[in-house]
Structures are given as C-alpha cells and as structure tokens.
Amino acid sequence: MPSGFERGTDGPRVIVVGVDGSDTSWRAAAYAAGLARRQNALLAVVYVQPLLVGGAALGAPVAETTEQVAEELLAEIRETTERLRGVHEVRWQFHTFRGDPYTGLVETADELKADAVVVGASEQAGHRIVGSVAVRLVKAGRWPVTVVP
C-alpha cells in the first residue's frame, strides 16, 4: 500500500528571492538565504532590470545603468557567499532579466518549479494605489509568498 508521504522532500526545494538593491530586498535575500540553508534548498536570486522607456526617450543610458546595477548586485552576492563559505553553505543561482519585476519573478518561479517566493516590502508610495510586486505575487496564488519588511 503506497503512502502519501515522500521521504526527504518535506520543505522547499527551490526558493526564489527578488532583489533590486533596496534595503528591504537585501533583508528578503538574507531571510531567503537562511531558509534555503536550513532546508537545503536552492536559492534563486532574481534581479529584473527595469525598462525605463521615459528615461531612454530623454537619452539616458538606461541599459548601461541597469546592467551596472545587475553586475554590482551579483558581485555583492558573490562576495557575501565567499565570506560565509564554510560557515553557511547555500546553493544559489543568479538570474537577471529586463522588464517587469513581477513577470520576471513569475517566469523564474515557474521555470524552476519554485516552492516559495520571498520579496521585500515595497518602499514606493505609489504602490499603495497600483499594487506592489508582493501584492501581485500573493494575488497570483501560485506559491507561498513571504514579504519581508
């Protein structure tokens, strides 16, 4: 008689965390890394490079700026990982896309068959009206979503 319990698979296998360089996203990344370490899960760190159409129209070097942010985030993540090597081992991947942060997180979570998504609370006042990425992820109802203040 087969049982419904799968040995060794209780808890998340893949945790997706969104980072954008804000304080709340770094707290979300730290929380997700701790969860991934404790659960021996893969941590997928996602940075979505925003498409700032208005800035591009004014001649601002938007692509170069967002590439630089992505590179700085990756360098900081790698530095932190190296500093903690041997103390806190975490398996991780870095993903970066251009476009809407919500769409990038959803696509990554779907592709990796994520068990959980972690994001920082929005620090932008306009999100109270339009809705933040975190609210949109929760409304999607496809994964447990943790919003870190």
Side-chain angles (χ1 to χ4, degrees):
M1 174 185 230
S3 84
F5 179 75
E6 295 180 40
R7 186 173 285 200
T9 58
D10 53 334
R13 288 184 180 194
V14 178
I15 299 168
V16 170
V17 62
V19 295
D20 63 7
S22 67
D23 288 344
T24 60
S25 78
W26 285 122
R27 286 192 292 270
Y31 176 85
L35 184 60
R37 179 185 52 80
R38 289 186 298 278
Q39 297 292 333
N40 194 29
L42 172 67
L43 178 64
V45 180
V46 179
Y47 169 64
V48 181
Q49 302 172 30
L51 294 177
L52 303 174
V53 179
L58 297 173
V62 176
E64 290 175 22
T65 301
T66 58
E67 273 298 327
Q68 182 179 353
V69 171
E71 289 172 19
E72 288 172 6
L73 288 171
L74 180 56
E76 187 154 341
I77 292 164
R78 282 190 174 137
E79 179 183 314
T80 301
T81 302
E82 286 301 316
R83 213 171 351 112
L84 298 176
R85 186 174 301 279
V87 178
H88 301 294
E89 294 293 328
V90 176
R91 294 179 301 123
W92 64 279
Q93 300 173 346
F94 183 70
H95 301 262
T96 185
F97 308 95
R98 289 193 201 289
D100 173 51
Y102 169 80
T103 303
L105 287 167
V106 166
E107 288 176 3
T108 304
D110 282 345
E111 179 183 322
L112 298 176
K113 295 178 178 46
D115 298 298
V117 177
V118 180
V119 292
S122 175
E123 296 178 336
Q124 298 179 11
H127 286 167
R128 291 189 189 103
I129 299 165
V130 180
S132 67
V133 171
V135 170
R136 292 169 66 193
L137 288 167
V138 169
K139 286 182 177 180
R142 292 158 65 179
W143 323 267
V145 177
T146 301
V147 181
V148 177

